[in-house]
Amino acid sequence: MSDPLHSDAGRVPGVVGDRIAGALLLVLALVAWWLSHDLESGFMQPVGPGEYPRLISLPLAALSLLLILRPGLNQRWPGRATLVRQALTLLVLGSYAGLVKPLGFLPASLVAVVLLVRLFGAAWKPSLISGGVLTLALYALFEFALGIPLPNMPGLDW
């Protein structure tokens, strides 16, 4: 009878993968918290755009710590294609966080959503359509329904 933990000699077990993922997500949560202090809260508004990254980074940090402290729910190490897709997803999200302010919400969100949808295997046409619809819906939600100002494209004052 073979031991399932030692049968894949030379491969990284899922426990290590969970801890690596938890550490990376914890770093992402801390960076999001740090960068959210540059976003304006708006004058006389109870909740500004800087609050949302902080609200997201807190549960992300808690779940990251859970992955680090209690790994092992998924005992498989992902294959090379999955690892590349995960790394590219993190790269797109990190780039989006860095580019949303200088480029504006609409172009940065459109590019990020289209690239993320493409990473999950969709063709270009559905990616562009879903990216455009989601970007406009999010813009309308934050700007008009919630009254939260988003970074505009440089040179455009709406």
Side-chain angles (χ1 to χ4, degrees), residues 20-67:
I20 291 171
L24 290 174
L25 292 173
L26 184 60
V27 169
L28 180 66
L30 293 173
V31 169
W33 180 275
W34 178 269
L35 291 177
S36 69
H37 292 289
D38 287 343
L39 297 174
E40 297 174 13
S41 295
F43 183 69
M44 298 296 289
Q45 291 183 346
V47 177
E51 301 298 326
Y52 289 101
R54 285 180 228 139
L55 288 174
I56 292 171
S57 64
L58 286 177
L60 179 61
L63 293 173
S64 302
L65 288 174
L66 183 66
L67 269 177

Side-chain angles (χ1 to χ4, degrees), residues 42-102:
F43 183 69
M44 298 296 289
Q45 291 183 346
V47 177
E51 301 298 326
Y52 289 101
R54 285 180 228 139
L55 288 174
I56 292 171
S57 64
L58 286 177
L60 179 61
L63 293 173
S64 302
L65 288 174
L66 183 66
L67 269 177
I68 293 170
L69 298 175
R70 296 198 49 152
L73 294 178
N74 182 7
Q75 290 293 320
R76 294 180 299 128
W77 182 257
R80 173 178 267 180
T82 304
L83 285 174
V84 169
R85 190 174 26 238
Q86 290 173 351
L88 289 174
T89 301
L90 289 175
L91 180 67
V92 168
L93 292 175
S95 299
Y96 175 71
L99 293 175
V100 72
K101 194 171 181 180

